[in-house]
Amino acid sequence: QVQLVESGGGLVQAGGSLRLSCAASGRTFSRYTMGWFRQAPGKEREFVAAITASGGGTYYTDSVKGRFTISRDNAKNTVYLQMNSLGPEDTAVYYCACAALRGVVTTQSWQYDYWGQGTQVTVSS
């Protein structure tokens, strides 16, 4: 089993930046695809970004391309989401998740096996 602990959320003004971190337990972190999802008030959970087990492949939803960057440090069992040029539309609870995949990414939440507790990101106008 994998346990995920998130940090880095908070309140930021429009145009600002935040860096989210997700630390994973377990000895096989490097075998998992990692993803970030978010859920805004009144909306369903939305895929944000994913990264392959090796870190060699990434994928982003259109609304964050060019602004967000997903990365991972397998030596530290940690995945990151660097968020730049934030706007009020980015306000949501952000979740990290892992899937038992290697070499590919998925945008489908049901394919992810473990989830973090979520961290609130609020962007003021």
Side-chain angles (χ1 to χ4, degrees), residues 6-7 24 37 49 56 78 81 85 89-90 92-93 100 105 108 117 125:
E6 299 174 331
S7 62
F37 293 76
T78 302
L81 185 68
S85 301
E89 69 275 11
D90 298 311
V93 177
V105 299
Q108 304 301 307
Q117 79 285 1
S125 60

Side-chain angles (χ1 to χ4, degrees), residues 33-94:
T33 288
M34 298 295 297
W36 287 95
F37 293 76
R38 66 186 181 186
Q39 188 167 20
K43 296 184 178 180
E44 295 185 348
R45 187 169 298 183
E46 174 192 24
F47 170 81
V48 177
I51 187 168
T52 57
S54 69
T58 59
Y59 186 78
Y60 302 89
T61 192
D62 286 344
S63 63
V64 308
K65 288 181 179 177
R67 300 189 298 121
F68 291 11
T69 302
I70 188 171
S71 62
R72 67 193 296 162
D73 186 341
N74 286 347
K76 297 181 178 180
N77 279 14
T78 302
V79 64
Y80 306 94
L81 185 68
Q82 178 67 46
M83 305 184 295
N84 299 326
S85 301
L86 287 164
E89 69 275 11
D90 298 311
T91 294
V93 177
Y94 284 71

